[in-house]
Amino acid sequence: MDTESQLETLRQGLAEQDYICNQSIATTVYLANQLNKPVLVEGPPGVGKTELAKCCAGVYGLPLIRLQCYEGLDETKALYEWKYGKQLLYTQMMKSSVEEMLEGAEGLAQGLEKLQAQGDIFFSHSFLEPRPLLQALKSDQGCVLLIDEIDKADQAFEALLLEILSEYQVSIPEIGTIVAERKPMVFLTSNSEREMSDALKRRCLHLHIPFPDAAMESQIVRLRAPGVEEGLLKQLVAFIQQLRTLDLKKPPAVSETIDWAKSLLLLNIRALDQQLVRDTLHIVLKYQQDIELVASEMHAITREAWNPSAFRWSAKG
Amino acid sequence: MASSIASPIRETFVRFIDALRNAEVRVSPAESIDAFEAMAVLGVQNGRILRDGWASILAKSAEEKTLFNQVFDRFFGLDEPRSSSASQASGGSPDDGEGLELASNLGQQLLAENRASLLEQIEQAGRTVQVEQMQFFTQKGLYTQRMLEIMGQSDLKAEMEALAAPEQALLEGRLSELRGQVRDYVERQFLLHADSTGSRLRAELFMKVKLAHVDQRTIEQMQPLVKKIARKLVVQYRRKPKGLRRALNVPATLRANMGTDAIPFNLRWRYRRPERAKIFVICDLSGSMRSTAKFMLLLLYSLQEVLPQVRSFGFSDRLTETTEWFENYPLEKAIEETIAQCAGGSTDYAQAWQDFERICGREVDRRSHLIVLGDARNNYSDPKPELLASLYHRCRRLIWLNPEARYSWFSGDAVMKQYLSYCHQADVCRSLLHLERFASRLLRYLC
């Protein structure tokens, strides 16, 4: 199959998982799959970065392993930890076997030799508690690893990720190097609160998901909030698109559009007018100053957005 | 997989990466290797798919993606110039040259009006003259001429002499069209490969020129450079490190080691928070110092993000605080205002120290950094170094920046010798390069 048909199949697969995407997203995901490279997804909050990883897991039929990043995330929470309690417990319980083993040893040196001949039993895989990153490397059928909001973690954590992202292996001092048998598909999402380091960017494919245009947004809402009438859908999308052109503290994203559509469906509203918009504005805008700004300019915004020449606007039924 | 790709494709790819780097898209060798492999995966049939795939590998930020799209369209001719419409507009059809036999290759091609093969010939000629080596816009005419020569223009011209008038006119028309196409091609290659070389050289020159000697026009051209330096420094010093390690943080250590029964395998420390520094900039605004002072203030105020508290003062015979002008007016206007108000008198350093002491002597403490920008020429009046000494003992650091070279620090009416013992650091500062070095050392010291 040539590339175009492969990409078409991928887009349809994602659409079946309820994810509408444009050509460049599909190309990047396809490329990441073929080249075994991680994908760094950047964009404003709410455009579907985390959704992309989840839907890819659905399309490729792989389990999803998720690691949520925060300030102060370190190795023990992300990579692995030793089961200290278990180690201590086993040492206590197996005291008698240790005594048996040391029988016949004369003096400290011989006893030590006998112990060391047993190897590092208490530092083996059964005492290792794998955390998301190590789980992803050890999974035998492959998986999708989602490292969410990597810009919230600090520089030290990024340095930790470098080896995993380029070679898909991790070195544990006591055991050795663990190499992934089936390389996981890695997605890193970022809200661009801070710049990623160049070393991390170099190892990843970079994908920027912007706010969608009107046609794509309508498609998304049709899929995610089925049952919304066409007329209402057009009004919704036009209004949201107009809101994004304003200078708001947090412009509404796709998730807000979907929430609004679902709420209007629940409230049994067939068409929008200025008062209804004012009443339901808090679903779309999350900051009081934004709500006040939009409420004061409501007339101008609705006139611009619901321009009768663009489409038909039916009165509330 | 990648080695099966033919070598001309490889060469074109390398030229494309070159053009990208020229447009200030930073492509590392590893990324270019990845892009080459991606070409094998995606195939070269569909330009849009290839563009999307390469954009994710080669352009790693929003600005780089815009630049990448521009360079891609330009390089692969997707922003096609109007040559296709021009050939229709010139009139004449392929049948006009019916019956005309020409010996030269170029003549035959022009008669046949085979666009595709003509374009191929142009590209071939471009590769032969190595048009990507072009560096300056003044070379465009030269390369155009050379390419036309390689394509056989002189032979064709010789042949055309022997022809009758109408046929000559026809060929002349087609030849000038061809010249237009070659010019467009050279222009495109120039934009791809050479455009930024000129500006890079200019930037290097600007960094080294002596600030005292620049004229007004040059100052305007250098301001974006200062902003670029400021941006680079801001990005570098924006992340604040934790600070110095101090004592063991016992509660945190115990909490972290609960798993090991409170045996402290992992230690947790207390960190000293870096203190907020206060910066005082004192600028000598006598004639020769003005440009240097302008650039210094421009740089320091562009670093607002990493140097929040900068108080500035200007003096000639009296010292005045200029901070509020910088807070209220845009940068350029504030600098003008400063110079208008403070400059003009005959320099008196002793008076400057006295005024400074009066205005904010109380706020100079262990957290303050004083930066003095001056040539220490006091017009043979009493320098009163003891005033500077008292400031020196109270502040954290006193840095003196002198725009003159070191050998003239002690000549004439300069009192640098007396002031030198009361400076923690004294440097020459006469070009943008020195300013940048000074700013980066300052930030490194503060963070």
Side-chain angles (χ1 to χ4, degrees):
Chain A
M1 268 208 290
D2 73 332
T3 325
E4 283 195 39
S5 37
Q6 296 259 30
L7 287 177
E8 222 13 75
T9 327
L10 179 60
R11 276 180 87 172
Q12 276 168 14
L14 283 172
E16 271 161 41
Q17 299 282 326
D18 286 350
Y19 190 84
I20 308 284
C21 68
N22 60 22
Q23 181 80 322
S24 67
I25 297 179
T27 316
T28 313
V29 172
Y30 176 71
L31 204 55
N33 197 25
Q34 295 290 315
L35 294 179
N36 277 323
K37 284 202 149 276
V39 183
L40 173 63
V41 189
E42 287 192 331
V47 291
K49 306 186 290 287
T50 316
E51 276 305 303
L52 177 64
K54 289 189 196 159
C55 297
C56 282
V59 166
Y60 288 109
L62 298 169
L64 176 74
I65 297 182
R66 185 176 177 154
L67 172 66
Q68 185 71 32
C69 296
Y70 52 89
E71 172 89 37
L73 181 65
D74 60 352
E75 235 177 41
T76 52
K77 295 287 179 329
L79 200 48
Y80 67 89
E81 201 175 0
W82 291 106
K83 294 183 192 165
Y84 304 114
K86 194 172 170 187
Q87 283 168 334
L88 286 175
L89 196 63
Y90 274 51
T91 331
Q92 301 281 0
M93 289 196 308
M94 294 170 59
K95 252 195 198 154
S96 45
S97 349
V98 173
E99 278 172 14
E100 273 173 29
M101 191 185 54
L102 287 178
E103 249 178 60
E106 291 162 14
L108 205 51
Q110 276 198 11
L112 202 57
E113 265 179 48
K114 283 209 171 186
L115 264 182
Q116 282 185 340
Q118 301 298 320
D120 286 326
I121 337 177
F122 285 111
F123 287 99
S124 60
H125 282 276
S126 48
F127 291 100
L128 187 67
E129 173 80 54
R131 298 279 186 223
L133 290 178
L134 192 56
Q135 279 172 5
L137 290 179
K138 280 167 81 167
S139 99
D140 18 335
Q141 9 136 324
C143 68
V144 170
L145 174 63
L146 169 62
I147 303 180
D148 216 3
E149 300 190 24
I150 178 100
D151 55 330
K152 304 258 179 345
D154 47 21
Q155 278 277 53
F157 185 69
E158 273 184 46
L160 179 68
L161 280 181
L162 292 177
E163 190 188 3
I164 298 179
L165 291 182
S166 48
E167 325 261 309
Y168 296 101
Q169 72 183 27
V170 73
S171 344
I172 300 178
E174 293 86 353
I175 297 188
T177 315
I178 300 190
V179 186
E181 284 188 22
R182 290 265 320 253
K183 300 190 178 168
M185 236 183 120
V186 186
F187 284 89
L188 300 108
T189 62
S190 156
N191 281 334
S192 308
E193 265 176 40
R194 75 178 170 88
E195 273 292 305
M196 295 291 110
S197 68
D198 277 343
L200 189 68
K201 276 191 172 176
R202 182 183 75 62
R203 285 168 173 75
C204 307
L205 301 183
H206 184 268
L207 179 61
H208 179 79
I209 302 187
F211 288 125
D213 60 4
M216 188 167 290
E217 195 156 14
S218 313
Q219 255 186 308
I220 297 176
V221 177
R222 250 179 239 131
L223 207 51
R224 290 282 176 144
V228 176
E229 286 182 2
E230 279 306 308
L232 180 61
L233 182 64
K234 283 208 183 95
Q235 282 185 308
L236 260 180
V237 172
F239 188 77
I240 297 269
Q241 293 277 329
Q242 189 62 26
L243 276 188
R244 289 201 190 118
T245 62
L246 301 172
D247 184 20
L248 296 173
K249 186 165 174 191
K250 182 183 181 297
V254 187
S255 50
E256 269 101 30
T257 320
I258 298 175
D259 287 339
W260 200 20
K262 285 188 183 162
S263 328
L264 291 177
L265 203 56
L266 256 168
L267 294 171
N268 240 333
I269 295 177
R270 318 288 295 282
L272 282 175
D273 60 9
Q274 287 198 22
Q275 191 48 43
L276 271 170
V277 173
R278 242 184 267 263
D279 291 338
T280 49
L281 206 50
H282 56 278
I283 303 175
V284 176
L285 297 172
K286 309 284 165 151
Y287 283 98
Q288 188 59 29
Q289 66 194 44
D290 288 342
I291 295 180
E292 282 165 12
L293 175 67
V294 173
S296 61
E297 305 206 0
M298 183 65 75
H299 188 68
I301 299 175
T302 49
R303 194 186 54 221
E304 198 57 45
W306 296 339
N307 195 345
S309 61
F311 64 93
R312 276 181 301 115
W313 172 26
S314 53
K316 177 180 169 194
Chain B
M1 196 164 26
S3 53
S4 64
I5 299 185
S7 161
I9 298 188
R10 236 191 290 240
E11 283 170 21
T12 317
F13 179 77
V14 171
R15 284 200 351 250
F16 175 64
I17 298 285
D18 218 11
L20 270 182
R21 287 195 181 124
N22 212 36
E24 319 245 328
V25 176
R26 297 176 310 154
V27 177
S28 67
E31 286 165 356
S32 57
I33 294 175
D34 290 337
F36 198 70
E37 284 177 15
M39 191 159 61
V41 166
L42 293 175
V44 294
Q45 277 79 25
N46 189 328
R48 267 210 68 196
I49 294 182
L50 195 61
R51 189 175 81 170
D52 289 336
W54 275 357
S56 65
I57 300 181
L58 298 170
K60 297 278 168 81
S61 76
E63 300 90 41
E64 287 193 353
K65 279 197 169 37
T66 332
L67 287 170
F68 171 86
N69 285 334
Q70 270 176 18
V71 176
F72 188 94
D73 290 339
R74 204 178 273 152
F75 190 88
F76 292 106
L78 294 175
D79 59 346
E80 199 62 289
R82 339 100 251 160
S83 46
S84 46
S85 52
S87 58
Q88 265 109 45
S90 71
S93 58
D95 301 328
D96 267 359
E98 204 59 42
L100 200 53
E101 288 289 315
L102 287 176
S104 63
N105 190 12
L106 183 59
Q108 286 169 12
Q109 300 231 331
L110 283 180
L111 278 181
E113 282 241 296
N114 188 346
R115 261 201 81 213
S117 94
L118 272 177
L119 279 175
E120 211 183 287
Q121 289 245 316
I122 294 179
E123 300 225 344
Q124 180 72 24
R127 274 198 289 275
T128 318
V129 314
Q130 295 189 312
V131 71
E132 64 268 11
Q133 307 274 353
M134 180 167 40
Q135 288 206 326
F136 309 110
F137 68 94
T138 40
Q139 294 171 317
K140 278 198 273 196
L142 185 64
Y143 276 89
T144 318
Q145 232 8 65
R146 267 196 231 155
M147 278 173 64
L148 285 168
E149 283 308 317
I150 289 181
M151 288 173 74
Q153 184 181 241
S154 37
D155 290 342
L156 178 60
K157 280 220 151 117
E159 252 189 315
M160 272 163 58
E161 310 267 290
L163 290 176
E167 284 132 357
Q168 222 181 45
L170 171 70
L171 276 178
E172 193 60 53
R174 301 231 174 118
L175 190 58
S176 62
E177 225 179 274
L178 178 68
R179 271 197 216 110
Q181 283 177 351
V182 175
R183 257 197 299 270
D184 284 339
Y185 175 81
V186 171
E187 172 77 33
R188 235 189 16 231
Q189 294 301 316
F190 170 73
L191 286 174
L192 279 173
H193 294 280
D195 204 8
S196 70
T197 316
S199 53
R200 256 206 301 268
L201 279 177
R202 224 184 14 244
E204 277 177 30
L205 278 175
F206 279 154
M207 289 295 282
K208 300 206 184 109
V209 75
K210 295 199 184 61
L211 292 173
H213 301 155
V214 294
D215 58 359
Q216 187 56 33
R217 242 197 74 220
T218 324
I219 292 183
E220 282 159 25
Q221 285 177 329
M222 284 165 77
Q223 278 181 359
L225 205 55
V226 175
K227 291 207 166 63
K228 211 164 119 188
I229 297 175
R231 233 191 354 250
K232 202 167 63 171
L233 287 171
V234 163
V235 165
Q236 195 178 353
Y237 289 100
R238 198 169 23 197
R239 307 163 198 224
K240 292 194 168 57
K242 280 194 278 198
L244 286 184
R245 230 162 56 164
R246 301 302 252 181
L248 187 67
N249 189 345
V250 177
T253 310
L254 288 178
R255 267 198 300 272
N257 289 288
M258 275 295 113
T260 50
D261 217 13
I263 303 174
F265 282 115
N266 300 314
L267 300 174
R268 299 278 186 267
W269 300 92
R270 290 189 191 279
Y271 289 92
R272 186 185 76 171
R273 260 202 344 237
E275 28 182 60
R276 298 276 304 254
K278 292 191 282 196
I279 312 240
F280 297 88
V281 184
I282 304 172
C283 293
D284 177 355
L285 288 172
S286 55
S288 52
M289 297 288 317
R290 266 181 229 164
S291 312
T292 323
K294 246 192 230 183
F295 281 104
M296 159 72 96
L297 289 169
L298 191 60
L299 183 60
L300 282 178
Y301 278 101
S302 309
L303 290 172
Q304 285 277 359
E305 228 181 288
V306 279
L307 286 180
Q309 258 190 325
V310 177
R311 286 178 70 170
S312 54
F313 304 82
F315 75 94
S316 50
D317 54 346
R318 301 216 62 111
L319 181 124
T320 9
E321 176 156 10
T322 58
T323 321
E324 51 194 10
W325 296 325
F326 283 97
E327 281 169 10
N328 299 333
Y329 301 137
L331 265 178
E332 288 74 24
K333 184 152 191 304
I335 294 179
E336 275 171 41
E337 190 69 30
T338 311
I339 294 189
Q341 297 268 353
C342 305
S346 115
T347 325
D348 189 353
Y349 275 83
Q351 188 62 41
W353 306 136
Q354 272 180 353
D355 290 339
F356 183 74
E357 189 66 49
R358 184 174 41 84
I359 297 178
C360 52
R362 267 165 288 131
E363 279 129 42
V364 174
D365 58 4
R366 268 205 64 225
R367 291 190 303 161
S368 356
H369 298 251
L370 263 63
I371 303 170
V372 184
L373 183 66
D375 53 5
R377 293 200 175 274
N378 213 13
N379 295 320
Y380 298 106
S381 58
D382 180 10
K384 298 214 180 109
E386 59 273 10
L387 296 172
L388 188 64
S390 90
L391 286 173
Y392 164 78
H393 288 301
R394 275 181 294 155
C395 74
R396 182 62 173 255
R397 263 164 90 76
L398 199 151
I399 304 171
W400 193 292
L401 297 173
N402 195 326
E404 297 182 352
R406 272 182 204 261
Y407 50 77
S408 49
W409 279 8
F410 305 139
S411 64
D413 59 342
V415 291
M416 200 64 202
K417 200 161 181 193
Q418 287 147 323
Y419 286 157
L420 210 49
S421 16
Y422 301 118
C423 299
H424 288 94
Q425 186 187 329
D427 278 326
V428 176
C429 185
R430 59 205 313 206
S431 68
L432 277 185
L433 200 57
H434 295 145
L435 266 181
E436 182 183 3
R437 235 179 259 162
F438 156 71
S440 111
R441 277 172 73 182
L442 178 70
L443 285 170
R444 205 175 12 200
Y445 185 81
L446 288 177
C447 301

